[in-house]
Amino acid sequence: MDICILGAGPGGATAALHLANAGQPCLLLDRATFPRDKTCGDALSGKVINELRRIDANLPARLAASAEQVPCWGISFFAPNGRPVEVPFRANYNPTAEPAPGHVAKRLDFDNLLIEQVRQRPEIDFREGVDVARHERLPDGRWQLFAADGTLVATPRLLLIANGAQSAQARQIGGHVLEPAHHSAGLRTYYEGVTGMHPHGFIELHFLKEFLPGYLWIFPLPNGQANVGVGMRTDKVSAKKINLRARLDEILTTHPSFKNRFAQAQRLGPVRGMGLPLGSKRRSLSGAGYLLLGDAGSLIDPFTGEGISHAMVSGRHAADWAARAVQTQNFTADFLKGYDAAVYNRLWQELRLSRAMQRLLAYPWLFNFVANRAVRNPTLAQTLTNMFLDLDLREQLRRPGFYLKMMFGR
């Protein structure tokens, strides 16, 4: 088979399903057996819903009907001084009369929703429990993929590398290395009984001074559960010598914003760590005979930490360029650069602005100032809502004039 996809998470599964929709067979490999857990924040933005719709128009409704999700109508940003700024995903939304623009669902359940679609497609040869431990490139350009016991797994012409942030192939083939200034360390755990959750499922991002540039999150889940975690840029973790695990426990039990909310809460299972390669730097996503997708391509939003939708966007474009490569039998690095252009044409402006917003976190007083003004000024609060949704408006956050106008305007 010409196309092999490593990793059946959102990026790999999306690529496989788009290839199937185009009538192009592929091999999809994952070392896990589904359903399986994945350490993540579990938030599914409106971009995820749009990508689901591109795979199958019925998938968003299928997700919304699932008991394993909660509808999410916006984000509550908490400034370092504790002031909240609520940013609905839609202005003047009505939770009883329209479908939710976002959801929160455990990756165990969301990823399996996609895998259920994969299992139904004869074009996809899906193999679970297969760990590709070694690879070689043959003189004719084909890849040889070997399991840990030396068994030959496949000999594809094109590799779609979608096996996550710790991908050995992203390092060995794609040349991506961990750069602490463009990487985040994260922790995630689950709780039951956290109080004070938003009635419309808003996810919470708390920009505490202790974790800047980064944040503590609380995301609502079904059955009274919550995904709770923290992410902070890796270079800052090292520079400040922060033990994230100990600091998270301390803040949840002693910080005025959390101690009462977590007083009766029960932790469900262990605290799990994750590494997040951020899309704050433009990297090569392709080369001769391979494409990098999602976290393996370092495409995580540097401000919000969102990675699922970016993985799905890259999966869609990877399927397009993989099908073109097979059709033309052109697997050269020059040809596959078209994939890089397509992905960054869709994501780079957003990633660039998120990087700028991440830099603003070096000035907590500025975040506090904006939050204080927004609480007293509904028009400003609405402007911030629109900024989150509109990239052209978000560009204003990078301009000093925006803050001068805010300071001296009404």
Side-chain angles (χ1 to χ4, degrees):
M1 198 171 292
D2 282 330
I3 302 171
C4 177
I5 304 170
L6 300 180
T14 295
L17 289 166
H18 278 294
L19 285 167
N21 287 343
Q24 174 65 54
C26 67
L27 173 63
L28 177 62
L29 305 176
D30 200 288
R31 66 182 180 182
T33 300
F34 287 77
R36 60 95 177 96
D37 189 22
K38 178 74 173 178
T39 305
C40 180
D42 297 336
L44 307 173
S45 70
K47 289 184 291 185
V48 171
I49 307 307
N50 289 336
E51 292 302 322
L52 286 175
R53 190 173 291 111
R54 288 174 180 269
I55 296 169
D56 182 328
N58 297 314
L59 274 180
R62 221 169 280 175
L63 172 63
S66 169
E68 275 72 51
Q69 60 78 38
V70 294
C72 176
W73 292 88
I75 301 178
S76 295
F77 291 96
F78 290 81
N81 63 5
R83 286 271 192 172
V85 178
E86 291 193 352
V87 179
F89 290 139
R90 289 180 192 153
N92 305 314
Y93 68 93
N94 184 346
T96 63
E98 54 187 310
H103 302 268
V104 187
K106 291 182 179 179
R107 288 288 299 275
L108 178 82
D109 301 308
F110 177 71
D111 288 16
N112 203 51
L113 173 75
L114 291 173
I115 292 300
E116 287 174 354
Q117 306 305 307
V118 164
R119 295 189 197 281
Q120 296 172 22
R121 302 304 300 263
E123 302 92 343
I124 304 172
D125 180 1
F126 177 42
R127 303 182 199 172
E128 302 168 86
V130 177
D131 188 6
V132 175
R134 186 169 64 88
H135 63 269
E136 292 179 5
R137 192 108 192 270
L138 297 174
D140 68 355
R142 284 191 175 272
W143 297 94
Q144 285 189 319
L145 307 180
F146 298 93
D149 63 1
T151 304
L152 180 63
V153 176
T155 56
R157 296 292 305 275
L158 181 62
L159 270 185
L160 274 57
I161 300 170
N163 50 359
Q166 311 305 321
S167 170
Q169 290 77 22
R171 294 192 308 273
Q172 296 163 6
I173 298 173
H176 283 214
V177 296
L178 191 155
E179 298 179 67
H182 302 280
H183 186 275
S184 180
L187 299 175
R188 178 226 72 186
T189 189
Y190 291 118
Y191 274 89
E192 185 176 59
V194 180
T195 60
M197 306 298 283
H198 194 284
H200 298 150
F202 279 41
I203 62 175
E204 302 176 25
L205 305 183
H206 296 262
F207 292 89
L208 305 174
K209 287 183 180 178
E210 293 88 342
F211 295 132
L212 296 178
Y215 60 81
L216 183 151
W217 70 78
I218 304 174
F219 295 171
L221 282 165
N223 306 312
Q225 296 184 15
N227 181 314
V228 180
V230 62
M232 185 176 180
R233 221 171 66 199
T234 301
D235 60 331
K236 299 300 183 182
V237 173
S238 299
K240 297 181 180 181
K241 297 183 171 62
I242 293 176
N243 182 324
L244 282 182
R245 196 176 299 261
R247 202 76 179 99
L248 176 63
D249 283 340
E250 178 188 352
I251 282 176
L252 294 181
T253 54
T254 66
H255 194 283
S257 296
F258 307 108
K259 63 180 183 179
N260 292 334
R261 296 181 63 188
F262 282 82
Q264 304 301 319
Q266 304 268 333
R267 181 176 287 172
L268 307 173
V271 178
R272 299 194 183 279
M274 53 186 166
L276 306 172
L278 305 175
S280 49
K281 175 182 177 180
R282 191 163 179 151
R283 299 172 174 88
S284 174
L285 301 177
S286 65
Y290 73 87
L291 307 174
L292 299 176
L293 285 64
D295 293 4
S298 304
L299 291 173
I300 294 171
D301 188 288
F303 182 69
T304 66
E306 180 176 7
I308 298 173
S309 70
H310 294 183
M312 296 178 75
V313 166
S314 65
R316 170 164 56 86
H317 288 295
D320 177 31
W321 281 90
R324 296 189 197 198
V326 170
Q327 185 178 13
T328 60
Q329 286 296 291
N330 189 344
F331 303 95
T332 63
D334 281 348
F335 181 78
L336 293 174
K337 280 180 182 175
Y339 165 72
D340 297 52
V343 171
Y344 282 126
N345 183 58
R346 171 61 182 84
L347 295 179
W348 183 243
Q349 185 187 9
E350 189 169 345
L351 292 171
R352 182 178 60 84
L353 291 176
S354 288
R355 171 65 163 165
M357 292 170 75
Q358 183 199 64
R359 289 194 184 105
L360 289 177
L361 296 178
Y363 309 97
W365 62 269
L366 189 58
F367 204 146
N368 291 335
F369 171 70
V370 173
N372 289 338
R373 295 284 292 189
V375 166
R376 299 193 300 268
N377 187 332
T379 302
L380 174 59
Q382 184 62 55
T383 299
L384 292 173
T385 295
N386 292 334
M387 278 184 172
F388 191 77
L389 303 174
D390 188 309
L391 294 180
D392 291 333
L393 286 172
R394 198 186 302 184
E395 179 79 36
Q396 292 184 36
L397 285 173
R398 304 175 69 234
R399 298 172 180 165
F402 170 77
Y403 300 99
L404 290 172
K405 184 178 179 180
M406 192 186 311
M407 189 177 298
F408 298 110
R410 293 184 178 180

